Amino acid sequence: MEMILNENDLVVGARFENGTIQDYVDEKKIYGLIRIEDSTANWFLFNKEESGEDLQKLYKKVLKEEHFIENDFGEEIVIFNKKGTQPFEAFINKIDEYLGDEMGSFI
């Protein structure tokens, strides 16, 4: 996975063999976008205790739509607005890999 950096050398996404992932694609910097081959989905990390008001509202809205949530020790990876043929699990696997690589770059 090749990390994408912004002008301040902060990780803001990544490229991988068959797609890309971005941390934020909205004005409020609440959710990101992941693309695998012909499929896309929006995603964000959510923690019931620590997430801000905008993220809390989005979470409640997403629960009413088609979505997938992977609970990762109290922090949830939330995927919504999926389009295309890739299953939710493929998105989760890439997001997990991305988050693991991103954390590894800080250590």
Side-chain angles (χ1 to χ4, degrees), residues 20-78:
T20 59
I21 186 168
Q22 295 171 267
D23 289 346
Y24 303 111
V25 294
D26 66 312
E27 286 180 10
K28 295 181 180 181
K29 295 189 176 196
I30 298 174
Y31 62 87
L33 177 73
I34 182 168
R35 180 185 60 80
I36 301 174
E37 296 174 357
D38 66 341
S39 302
T40 61
N42 294 112
W43 72 282
F44 61 91
L45 297 177
F46 180 78
N47 182 302
K48 185 175 177 99
E49 309 301 319
E50 297 176 11
S51 294
E53 184 178 331
D54 288 336
L55 205 53
Q56 297 278 353
K57 287 180 186 177
L58 178 59
Y59 185 79
K60 287 178 185 173
K61 179 181 180 247
V62 165
L63 291 180
K64 297 175 186 173
E65 304 169 357
E66 182 184 18
H67 66 281
F68 185 86
I69 297 174
E70 173 86 11
N71 191 331
D72 195 12
F73 305 108
E75 188 160 58
E76 298 175 347
I77 299 171
V78 181

